[in-house]
Amino acid sequence: MSTVIIEPVGFRMLPALNELNRAFWTGGANGQLLIQRCAACRRWVHPPTSACPTCEGPVRPEPVSGRGSVYTFTVNAHQFHPEVDPPNLIAIVQLDEQDDLRIMTNIVGCDPGAVRCGLPVQVLFERHDEVFYPLFAPDGGEA
Ligand SMILES: [Zn+2]
């Protein structure tokens, strides 16, 4: 499956890159969602940190499938930032690789009313210079 990359449709608050989070935020340039994985116990770790919280082993970024499901979500109807138009669908997506591997994101490419917990989703990336912001859309849906 080829990775979908979209151009921004509006304002987005972007992360400050550092050595720990750079792979996560820039992996989309190569079509990859990169998540840290422990070299010792092989558990996936997110958000990025300097050592495995389970065994304190060394972590390094590895690509995941980009598939997951909506763990929980909310539709933000209020304008929390002057440049961000509501509604804004904020979700926590659980990645298929591990039960507790979850990332905060937005769901795009569908009507907010169509989103439900457990909905299968697939990553896509919104390009902002070197940052490729991971978003998710219904698996098989249009971005
Ligand atoms: Zn570990």
Side-chain angles (χ1 to χ4, degrees):
M1 177 181 293
S2 63
T3 305
V4 174
I5 295 174
I6 62 173
E7 298 302 324
V9 293
F11 174 83
R12 182 175 295 282
M13 283 170 274
L14 296 174
L17 297 182
N18 59 45
E19 286 314 301
L20 283 179
N21 70 21
R22 179 174 300 276
F24 176 76
W25 292 115
T26 64
N30 297 316
Q32 294 182 320
L33 179 59
L34 296 173
I35 301 289
Q36 285 186 335
R37 193 173 196 187
C38 177
C41 75
R42 304 301 290 154
R43 284 187 61 77
W44 298 95
V45 179
H46 187 79
T49 183
S50 57
C52 174
T54 301
C55 76
E56 300 183 7
V59 292
R60 56 175 161 263
E62 292 186 20
V64 291
S65 66
R67 289 189 194 84
S69 58
V70 174
Y71 180 73
T72 188
F73 70 99
T74 185
V75 180
N76 190 348
H78 298 282
Q79 192 145 19
F80 66 88
H81 186 283
E83 295 188 65
V84 178
D85 291 328
N88 197 344
L89 204 156
I90 301 162
I92 295 176
V93 164
Q94 179 163 298
L95 299 178
D96 283 353
E97 277 74 11
Q98 184 173 294
D99 278 352
D100 60 355
L101 183 62
R102 298 172 190 148
I103 76 175
M104 181 91 74
T105 185
N106 296 125
I107 306 295
V108 298
C110 68
D111 187 283
V115 175
R116 57 180 169 75
C117 294
L119 179 72
V121 290
Q122 170 76 39
V123 74
L124 62 130
F125 298 95
E126 188 181 77
R127 185 199 337 246
H128 299 262
D129 295 325
E130 67 176 328
V131 170
F132 284 69
Y133 202 103
L135 301 172
F136 285 79
D139 206 356
E142 294 298 312

